[in-house]
Amino acid sequence: MLDVTPIAAFQDNYIWLIRGARDPRDVAVVDPGDAGPVQAALAEDGLRLRAILATHHHADHVGGVAALVAATGAAVFGPERERMPVKFTPLAGGDRAQLPELGLEFAVLDVPGHTAGHIAYYGHAALFCGDTMFSAGCGRLFEGTPEQMLASLDAFASLPEQTRVFCGHEYTLANLRFAMAVESGNADIVDYVQKATALRASGRPTLPSTIELEKRVNPFLRSRHENVKLSAERRAGRVLPTPVAVFAEIRSWKDTFR
């Protein structure tokens, strides 16, 4: 199993540290919005940063990239359609991020919606999805359309169910409160609330999730389920004829949910 460790940053970000398959001292990080916590983790365990994987251009995901490259010379991989703060290897769907020094390789998925050029990295039974999907939630549509975001989430849902999901933020409990509003009768959501609450109370992350779990509890992956559709239609006050219309209504609802 891929050795992945969370590095907490800012209020609720996770920077994911991936240890190499050949030598665990050789590592990559995903979405380092802040260089400081990464540098502290490297120094504490005597690690060598070989690569940086960026999913999208937002500052809380790439703000630490330049400092880390200056300090370590790490190679940077990022979305072809978005600007990065340093020279990088541009990637798009169908490409592969090859990390030979770590003995690892990841498939690249185009997953627009949160941003126009957002990408995700999939490999070794792990998905690094940035801000496209959160546990029990999905990212806001800052640059993309509902059609794009639903297609991106559908791509995630098609991955093997045992795939571990490493998201960019610790939003799980807030997302579950909304999921309960959408599907109050979903016993899987009720069970996940209890487990996630216990994890956070003990200071542990709720992540990684799995594709299998998300398909049971994430309303944004469940736009085609009748319970979710009916809930969205009650809020909209009209029939919603397509999964995209259901998704758009749920996303609009979440934008103002408190």
Side-chain angles (χ1 to χ4, degrees), residues 118-155:
H118 202 302
I119 61 174
Y121 300 89
Y122 170 69
H124 311 280
L127 173 68
F128 298 91
C129 56
D131 285 1
T132 297
M133 183 170 70
F134 304 118
S135 189
C138 77
R140 287 179 179 264
L141 304 184
F142 288 125
E143 299 174 11
T145 65
E147 290 85 355
Q148 288 177 317
M149 182 62 98
L150 182 57
S152 296
L153 296 175
D154 285 345

Side-chain angles (χ1 to χ4, degrees), residues 43-110:
E44 181 177 356
D45 291 337
L47 305 177
R48 300 179 290 251
L49 183 63
R50 300 300 195 183
I52 296 169
L53 306 178
T55 63
H56 65 293
H57 66 85
H58 286 165
D60 64 321
H61 290 253
V62 299
V65 169
L68 290 172
V69 170
T72 68
V76 179
F77 300 81
E80 179 179 76
R81 295 178 57 201
E82 298 190 356
R83 294 181 65 183
M84 292 288 110
V86 298
K87 184 177 180 180
F88 72 106
T89 299
L91 298 171
D95 292 338
R96 303 192 71 84
Q98 297 181 350
L99 313 181
E101 292 175 308
L102 278 70
L104 300 173
E105 183 177 323
F106 295 93
V108 177
L109 307 176
D110 280 328

Side-chain angles (χ1 to χ4, degrees), residues 5-245:
T5 303
I7 300 174
F10 308 119
Q11 183 175 350
D12 49 39
N13 280 69
Y14 287 129
I15 301 166
W16 298 106
L17 185 147
I18 307 169
R19 291 180 182 265
R22 295 173 178 165
D23 187 334
R25 292 172 297 178
D26 291 324
V27 302
V29 292
V30 181
D31 286 348
D34 187 355
V38 176
Q39 291 170 325
L42 297 176
E44 181 177 356
D45 291 337
L47 305 177
R48 300 179 290 251
L49 183 63
R50 300 300 195 183
I52 296 169
L53 306 178
T55 63
H56 65 293
H57 66 85
H58 286 165
D60 64 321
H61 290 253
V62 299
V65 169
L68 290 172
V69 170
T72 68
V76 179
F77 300 81
E80 179 179 76
R81 295 178 57 201
E82 298 190 356
R83 294 181 65 183
M84 292 288 110
V86 298
K87 184 177 180 180
F88 72 106
T89 299
L91 298 171
D95 292 338
R96 303 192 71 84
Q98 297 181 350
L99 313 181
E101 292 175 308
L102 278 70
L104 300 173
E105 183 177 323
F106 295 93
V108 177
L109 307 176
D110 280 328
V111 287
H114 182 65
T115 65
H118 202 302
I119 61 174
Y121 300 89
Y122 170 69
H124 311 280
L127 173 68
F128 298 91
C129 56
D131 285 1
T132 297
M133 183 170 70
F134 304 118
S135 189
C138 77
R140 287 179 179 264
L141 304 184
F142 288 125
E143 299 174 11
T145 65
E147 290 85 355
Q148 288 177 317
M149 182 62 98
L150 182 57
S152 296
L153 296 175
D154 285 345
F156 291 158
S158 72
L159 296 174
E161 291 195 338
Q162 69 271 21
T163 301
R164 293 188 297 162
V165 178
F166 296 91
C167 315
H169 292 268
E170 180 60 72
Y171 289 164
T172 306
L173 287 177
N175 287 337
L176 285 170
R177 286 194 293 273
F178 176 69
M180 283 292 296
V182 176
E183 276 194 285
S184 59
N186 185 328
D188 291 318
I189 296 175
V190 174
D191 180 63
Y192 192 24
V193 168
Q194 295 173 346
K195 292 177 180 177
T197 300
L199 286 169
R200 297 306 295 152
S202 65
R204 291 180 290 171
T206 60
L207 302 171
S209 178
T210 66
I211 294 296
E212 187 272 335
L213 175 60
E214 293 308 311
K215 288 165 74 171
R216 289 190 284 117
V217 304
N218 193 323
F220 298 103
L221 267 63
R222 296 171 59 80
S223 300
R224 296 171 179 83
H225 285 250
E226 190 64 19
N227 288 343
V228 174
K229 181 176 186 292
L230 290 173
S231 188
E233 288 177 339
R234 281 194 296 269
R235 182 179 186 273
R238 66 183 188 280
V239 173
L240 300 173
T242 66
V244 170

